[in-house]
Amino acid sequence: TQSISIADYNPQNVNIDMGRRKNASFRVNVTDPTPDNVESIQIIISPSQDRPDSYTINPSSGLALDNWRYERTYSKSELGLTTFTNKKFICGIFLNENGQQQIDVVVNMLDSEGNILYPTYGNGISIERAQMLDATGPFFSLSTQSLLNFDTSTDLIHITLQ
């Protein structure tokens, strides 16, 4: 812990050591036209193993104490959008205590009823602390309904969908 003294209304410079959180991000950037029947983008990130356990976070350390699953859904109507084209959607995650993890990623394009229209999968993807996996490309064609492949040798990892 760190003590900070507040004295009157005098400005103070305080350096706060936040440590090194073990977090990373997955970003979806849709480049093709959004079909009218697509209402939401759902991003699901889970460890590369068959355990559906709930994610548990320790806010003081940022560590994932158990196996976890992140799920984030972005809705056009809730965001006031008419399209997902050229928009970026991010899901931030905490990694295990080593700051490195194998993850599975699913990006689903959903209709207004929550039905999956266009799924895209990535299995066994390596991700490390401070990395951003950037999935950019067309998500609404049959050719993207396959595995995502990433080159994880840099901090900002780009994948171009074809």
Side-chain angles (χ1 to χ4, degrees):
T1 62
Q2 180 178 349
S3 297
I4 301 173
S5 297
I6 307 297
D8 298 322
Y9 291 98
N10 299 322
Q12 298 181 38
N13 291 324
V14 178
N15 293 322
I16 299 174
D17 181 6
M18 298 296 287
R20 295 186 65 189
R21 298 285 182 174
K22 293 171 177 59
N23 60 337
S25 301
F26 182 81
R27 179 171 62 188
V28 172
N29 183 12
V30 178
T31 59
D32 54 341
T34 304
D36 291 337
N37 61 340
V38 173
E39 168 57 27
S40 302
I41 292 178
Q42 178 186 54
I43 302 170
I44 300 170
I45 301 173
S46 57
S48 292
Q49 53 186 306
D50 296 325
R51 296 260 327 251
D53 300 349
S54 298
Y55 171 66
T56 303
I57 182 173
N58 177 344
S60 66
S61 68
L63 298 179
L65 302 178
D66 295 318
N67 291 314
W68 43 266
R69 170 187 161 129
Y70 290 91
E71 184 175 327
R72 180 80 192 264
T73 302
Y74 295 93
S75 167
K76 284 193 306 191
S77 58
E78 290 176 7
L79 295 172
L81 300 174
T82 58
T83 184
F84 290 127
T85 306
N86 297 319
K87 307 287 189 236
K88 295 179 180 168
F89 304 93
I90 296 176
C91 185
I93 61 172
F94 285 103
L95 303 175
N96 64 23
E97 64 275 4
N98 300 320
Q100 176 178 348
Q101 189 127 4
Q102 296 284 317
I103 60 170
D104 294 338
V105 178
V106 178
V107 179
N108 291 320
M109 302 301 173
L110 309 173
D111 65 14
S112 60
E113 302 293 318
N115 298 310
I116 299 171
L117 302 175
Y118 304 95
T120 305
Y121 306 94
N123 295 314
I125 300 167
S126 293
I127 189 168
E128 296 182 14
R129 176 189 9 244
Q131 279 187 332
M132 177 178 289
L133 298 179
D134 185 26
T136 299
F139 280 82
F140 303 115
S141 63
L142 290 176
S143 63
T144 63
Q145 295 182 28
S146 60
L147 294 181
L148 299 172
N149 295 303
F150 292 90
D151 173 8
T152 57
S153 60
T154 63
D155 286 344
L156 179 59
I157 310 302
H158 294 282
I159 176 173
T160 303
L161 302 177
Q162 301 181 35

